[in-house]
Amino acid sequence: MKTVIAGALSALLLGGAVTAAYAQVSPEDQIEIRQAGFSYMAWNMGKIKAQVIDGSVEYNQQQVSAAANAIDAIANSGMGALFGPGTEKDIGDLHTRADPALFENMQDMAELAGNLGTAASNLAAKAEAGDQDEIRVAFGEVGKSCKSCHEKYRME
Ligand code: HEC
């Protein structure tokens, strides 16, 4: 029995150590990584838009699918962890556009982030299937979920 408890305890502690290491990302890094994640999603959104909305670039199913998969992965990567204490305002020259209200409404923020995750997974599935009409609809849904959070929690 003792060994079982000791085993469970050390598993807990180990888990704790992993969590602590994860939380140790400095506030500066959290801001930079989240901005990079958002920019990376935007870059991939732009590629899909060019091919299936604007038609300025010829449709290539593999490229659209790859872009959608990248968005899906980032949207579902747990970015909420990058809005930790100390990241609610500028740090030196590092500017954040996160609205202070965001940090008082983490539950709402998590919901909006969850909506994006769902929409992004749907877009990835549609992009893989390759029906452009369905991709357009799914793309619109992703765009809406980006916007709904920006309207509330991203400053000018
Ligand atoms: C749950 C809220 C939320 C969702 C959903 C969301 N964003 Fe954002 N976005 C933010 C916040 C907050 C910032 C400001 C981050 C900062 O400056 O620290 C931001 C910043 C950005 C930036 C500027 C990054 C930079 O370099 O400063 C871009 C571009 C962006 N988002 C694109 C997107 C796209 C594209 C989507 C959808 C695929 C999206 N966002 C979804 C909250 C969200």
Side-chain angles (χ1 to χ4, degrees):
M1 188 63 186
K2 246 187 193 156
T3 33
V4 172
I5 294 173
L9 248 178
S10 67
L12 262 177
L13 287 174
L14 240 137
V18 170
T19 312
Y22 190 56
Q24 267 165 18
V25 176
S26 71
E28 288 89 339
D29 285 351
Q30 288 179 50
I31 292 175
E32 283 184 346
I33 296 167
R34 76 192 181 203
Q35 289 177 342
F38 286 128
S39 298
Y40 199 77
M41 283 196 290
W43 177 55
N44 283 287
M45 286 292 279
K47 290 190 270 182
I48 300 174
K49 182 171 181 283
Q51 295 196 13
V52 300
I53 308 287
D54 303 341
S56 55
V57 177
E58 194 187 335
Y59 174 66
N60 176 308
Q61 197 247 333
Q62 265 182 335
Q63 287 173 6
V64 168
S65 188
N69 284 338
I71 297 165
D72 183 22
I74 294 172
N76 287 292
S77 68
M79 279 183 76
L82 299 170
F83 289 84
T87 70
E88 64 282 345
K89 51 181 188 305
D90 294 354
I91 304 174
D93 290 342
L94 185 59
H95 179 55
T96 175
R97 286 164 73 195
D99 194 301
L102 183 161
F103 299 86
E104 321 260 290
N105 296 286
M106 285 307 255
Q107 191 63 43
D108 186 40
M109 157 84 175
E111 239 170 73
L112 292 169
N115 292 345
L116 171 64
T118 308
S121 296
N122 179 50
L123 174 61
K126 294 297 191 288
E128 193 178 357
D131 179 318
Q132 284 195 62
D133 284 335
E134 290 194 354
I135 296 172
R136 268 188 281 277
V137 174
F139 177 85
E141 291 304 317
V142 171
K144 265 189 229 159
S145 57
C146 307
K147 204 169 167 211
S148 65
C149 188
H150 291 161
E151 280 171 356
K152 267 183 158 169
Y153 297 126
R154 188 178 71 171
M155 298 189 296
E156 272 319 303

